[in-house]
Amino acid sequence: MTVSDPANTSVAPAVTAEGEAFPSAPRRLQYVDTPVPASGQSVSIGPGVRWGRIPLPLDLNHINVWLLETDDGCVVVDTGMAASIGKDAWEVIEREYFSQHPLRAVFITHIHPDHIGLANWLQERSGVPVIMSQRTHELSRAMWGGEGQVHFSKAEQFFQSHGVTDALQIRAMFRPDRFARMTSGMPRVERFIADEEVLHWGAGEWTALETNGHAEGHLCLSNPAARLLISGDQVLPTISSNISLMFHSNDPNPLGSYLSSLQRLRALSEDTLVLPAHGVPFRGLRQRIDDLTGHHVQQLDKLTALCVEPRVAMDVLPFMFRRELKEMHLFLAVGEALAHLEYLVHAGRVRRETRDGRIYYITL
């Protein structure tokens, strides 16, 4: 049984590190009526799949984790952030579930700390392999290794060129140790998962789908036979995931990558049950993808009209985000504005021009 809008699912924080609140209209999605598991608990949500929740010390206060049955235990998808409340929840799962279904591996969807943060901690406790995409591994090594300082040293020049004037705020937000403090260390990665690789866990066959845009190397897991999709942060029911162009980005057009990935996921079965990293599992994947795509198209049209007058990225934030932006939310908003502006550059609708060290965007 499903319901069109379970209590509070359409009420999301105005902004989170994952993105901005953007729920679909009532009855566009059909949410499961399975009660949301308490911290450290798990409930069956599909064949060979259990739904658990790990609390986060953030405005977005949880991450969903998925326990996939294997022949001799289970695989965990994502981990939560390195915080005592998250560790406490995992210790309950250890006692109540892993004692009967031992942990055999940890699968990481992408680089963000709420997903990878406790991978090393779980690995050290259980001695299990951690698996992820090669790009996620490269990013994690850069964050924890010496390359992190090199990357973060570029932040000040990058943001100032796009109109951010507070150098102290930039330095505070992009200290190399900031990422490390949200994680439990660099896990040993014993295997890289490639796009379209099929993973045989128990009776299930899961296909890894590389879906870029929100994070380079982001992997979803699709089980076509069971009509299940573990979507990570790529498709969320009440949040439009942050799509940013940043100083460390390899992808010159992340919004283009994201929109292409959505169309790839849209080809999955219409009655696919989506298991998102945040929020409640739902059916209505195609409707949600259409809503997210339409939202970005509206933002692109808005920016095209605005850039008739030359604009730096900071100039367009009041028109894209109807709220006050502070601290990391400000920088994520700048990154999102740049992803949209650079999409327009690649589409030939806007050109880029540097004046006195600042980068302006001008409609053609």
Side-chain angles (χ1 to χ4, degrees):
M1 178 180 176
T2 59
V3 293
S4 61
D5 189 14
N8 298 323
T9 59
S10 62
V11 180
V15 61
T16 72
E18 300 304 330
E20 61 175 323
F22 182 71
S24 290
R27 293 182 291 280
R28 288 280 285 171
L29 309 181
Q30 295 77 50
Y31 294 89
V32 299
D33 63 352
T34 305
V36 174
S39 174
Q41 304 297 313
S42 67
V43 296
S44 178
I45 194 67
V49 181
R50 295 185 70 83
W51 170 23
R53 271 202 171 176
I54 303 298
L56 299 174
L58 303 171
D59 44 8
L60 183 60
N61 62 10
H62 73 275
I63 182 171
N64 297 324
V65 297
W66 311 101
L67 313 179
L68 310 183
E69 293 180 8
T70 66
D71 292 334
D72 60 350
C74 73
V75 172
V76 160
V77 179
D78 287 335
T79 69
M81 191 176 290
S84 59
I85 55 174
K87 294 176 181 178
D88 292 345
W90 277 116
E91 288 173 356
V92 175
I93 292 175
E94 282 183 343
R95 292 192 300 270
E96 298 190 2
Y97 190 74
F98 292 167
S99 60
Q100 302 297 318
H101 304 84
L103 181 62
R104 298 304 183 192
V106 177
F107 180 98
I108 300 300
T109 59
H110 64 290
I111 184 62
H112 294 156
D114 53 326
H115 296 259
I116 198 174
L118 285 173
N120 185 60
W121 182 81
L122 284 170
Q123 183 176 62
E124 289 181 342
R125 291 177 72 86
S126 302
V128 298
V130 173
I131 56 179
M132 61 183 68
S133 71
Q134 185 168 356
R135 181 58 180 151
T136 296
H137 184 249
E138 291 169 354
L139 290 168
S140 61
R141 285 179 62 87
M143 294 297 185
W144 278 297
E147 297 173 55
Q149 181 64 54
V150 176
H151 279 306
F152 289 120
S153 66
K154 300 176 183 177
E156 187 172 343
Q157 180 181 356
F158 175 85
F159 284 106
Q160 287 181 336
S161 72
H162 293 294
V164 181
T165 58
D166 189 342
L168 290 177
Q169 187 178 17
I170 298 171
R171 292 170 197 157
M173 286 296 106
F174 293 96
R175 294 192 315 272
D177 66 333
R178 192 171 186 272
F179 177 85
R181 287 188 289 105
M182 294 186 283
T183 64
S184 59
M186 178 70 190
R188 299 182 313 280
V189 180
E190 301 183 18
R191 180 181 172 193
F192 299 136
I193 305 302
D195 183 38
E196 297 190 351
E197 184 171 342
V198 178
L199 303 166
H200 299 271
W201 289 324
E205 288 191 358
W206 296 86
T207 301
L209 302 175
E210 185 166 334
T211 47
N212 292 303
H214 174 67
E216 294 176 20
H218 185 291
L219 293 176
C220 296
L221 288 171
S222 172
N223 183 331
R227 294 185 177 86
L228 296 172
L229 174 68
I230 297 176
S231 65
D233 281 346
Q234 206 70 3
V235 181
L236 301 173
T238 64
I239 293 171
S240 176
S241 298
N242 178 260
I243 312 299
S244 280
L245 181 73
M246 284 289 182
F247 52 91
H248 49 69
S249 297
N250 277 359
D251 186 348
N253 187 11
L255 181 58
S257 299
Y258 179 70
L259 294 176
S260 294
S261 81
L262 290 185
Q263 292 310 304
R264 183 184 190 188
L265 295 177
R266 199 180 187 283
L268 297 176
S269 175
E270 188 171 7
D271 61 348
T272 293
L273 177 61
V274 181
L275 308 179
H278 309 283
V280 174
F282 67 94
R283 289 183 174 85
L285 176 62
R286 295 178 184 176
Q287 291 89 334
R288 184 59 179 159
I289 285 172
D290 291 347
D291 291 346
L292 291 168
T293 300
H295 173 64
H296 287 292
V297 168
Q298 288 180 348
Q299 296 284 54
L300 291 167
D301 290 343
K302 190 183 299 183
L303 292 181
T304 303
L306 279 172
C307 289
V308 170
E309 298 292 332
R311 310 273 188 174
V312 296
M314 276 290 289
D315 294 336
V316 307
L317 298 191
F319 302 93
M320 293 184 69
F321 305 97
R322 297 188 302 273
R323 61 182 182 273
E324 185 180 4
L325 296 163
K326 296 180 179 179
E327 299 179 341
M328 185 54 72
H329 296 154
L330 171 65
F331 295 100
L332 291 171
V334 172
E336 179 117 3
L338 285 170
H340 285 75
L341 291 165
E342 286 295 325
Y343 180 96
L344 292 170
V345 170
H346 282 81
R349 295 168 63 183
V350 163
R351 66 182 173 90
R352 186 191 313 114
E353 182 178 310
T354 302
R355 303 177 185 175
D356 300 321
R358 287 194 170 194
I359 299 173
Y360 289 83
Y361 294 87
I362 306 166
T363 298
L364 295 172

